[in-house]
Amino acid sequence: MMPVIDTLITAITQIAAQSTEAERKSIARAIDDLRRRIDSLPSLSEDIQKAVDERRAKLEQAIIERSKKIP
Amino acid sequence: MKCAAMTLVAASMVAGCGASQIRTQLSAATVATVALQGVHAVAMSATSEALAACEDEPCVEAVEERMRPVTLAYEASRFALAGWVEALNIAQSAGDEVFSSLLVAARRFVELWSPLAASLRGVGVDLPDLPPLVLSLFGSEAP
């Protein structure tokens, strides 16, 4: 009887270990995916700076254009 | 022998519970990431609209100044979110004993949401509350 129980416990232990390992790997993959997603979140300061610089360039260009038209 | 078997079952249940808690936090952090992406979109939209109405340099400077608190709040939230996910990574490697550190990291992100919303209100943008999945992590003690 005892060897049967031992075998059963060993089998349960192996199944539990495999299941835990599979779950751990699955979570690790999900964390990696989320980490990549967060890393690719755009920087608001850089994007606002870019928009501001573009607007400034347009305004300066408009001033240059206007000054060219003055005889 | 019965005791050994029960210990084994109990141990596997505890491990499952820890994994389940990490899964819940992972879902909440994913929702928070999507929410923060939305913040970037509305902030950029508000900036573009305000800049388009500018016809001189003082106006551009005023827009830049108005958006500064929003930018700082957003970047702080972004770093807090990255810290939360790093804590999740540690928790899944180390086990249940570091679970409380996850809640600390998550709470830091949630606490930054109000200043972020306030800074956006300052430029005329209403930010919705954080989704219930994120707030539910703290039960009745939501920040």
Side-chain angles (χ1 to χ4, degrees):
Chain A
M1 191 62 183
M2 290 294 276
V4 174
I5 294 172
D6 284 346
T7 308
L8 196 60
I9 288 177
T10 306
I12 291 170
T13 308
Q14 282 175 351
I15 291 167
Q18 282 168 3
S19 164
T20 305
E21 182 58 15
E23 174 76 354
R24 197 192 65 73
K25 280 184 180 169
S26 161
I27 290 174
R29 268 198 304 274
I31 288 174
D32 273 348
D33 288 347
L34 183 56
R35 191 190 272 145
R36 271 195 293 275
R37 200 166 173 175
I38 292 169
D39 284 348
S40 66
L41 274 175
S43 163
L44 189 59
S45 53
E46 284 176 14
D47 289 349
I48 286 180
Q49 192 57 56
K50 198 176 158 194
V52 164
D53 289 346
E54 281 174 6
R55 187 63 193 162
R56 278 200 177 113
K58 274 185 187 172
L59 288 174
E60 280 170 20
Q61 190 60 37
I63 291 169
I64 292 167
E65 293 298 323
R66 272 201 300 272
S67 67
K68 278 181 187 170
K69 285 177 187 168
I70 298 170
Chain B
M1 192 59 76
K2 268 185 188 173
C3 184
M6 282 176 74
T7 305
L8 191 69
V9 171
S12 66
M13 282 171 73
V14 168
C17 179
S20 159
Q21 286 172 322
I22 290 175
R23 281 248 180 243
T24 303
Q25 290 248 348
L26 202 49
S27 299
T30 304
V31 171
T33 305
V34 173
L36 204 54
Q37 278 172 327
V39 169
H40 180 276
V42 293
M44 280 312 294
S45 172
T47 306
S48 301
E49 205 175 298
L51 284 173
C54 283
E55 293 300 334
D56 53 25
E57 177 57 27
C59 173
V60 172
E61 276 177 20
V63 172
E64 208 173 4
E65 195 59 37
R66 269 205 316 275
M67 292 310 293
R68 195 156 289 141
V70 180
T71 303
L72 289 173
Y74 171 88
E75 301 298 350
S77 295
R78 198 157 68 104
F79 285 120
L81 193 55
W84 182 5
V85 173
E86 289 313 314
L88 268 170
N89 193 35
I90 292 167
Q92 74 95 23
S93 310
D96 290 343
E97 65 272 17
V98 292
F99 188 74
S100 59
S101 72
L102 277 181
L103 285 175
V104 173
R107 185 178 283 272
R108 182 73 191 123
F109 174 82
V110 172
E111 283 171 350
L112 285 167
W113 197 257
S114 277
L116 182 59
S119 66
L120 277 166
R121 261 196 307 278
V123 293
V125 175
D126 277 328
L127 189 62
D129 290 339
L130 272 171
L133 175 64
V134 180
L135 295 174
S136 68
L137 294 176
F138 308 99
S140 59
E141 292 176 15

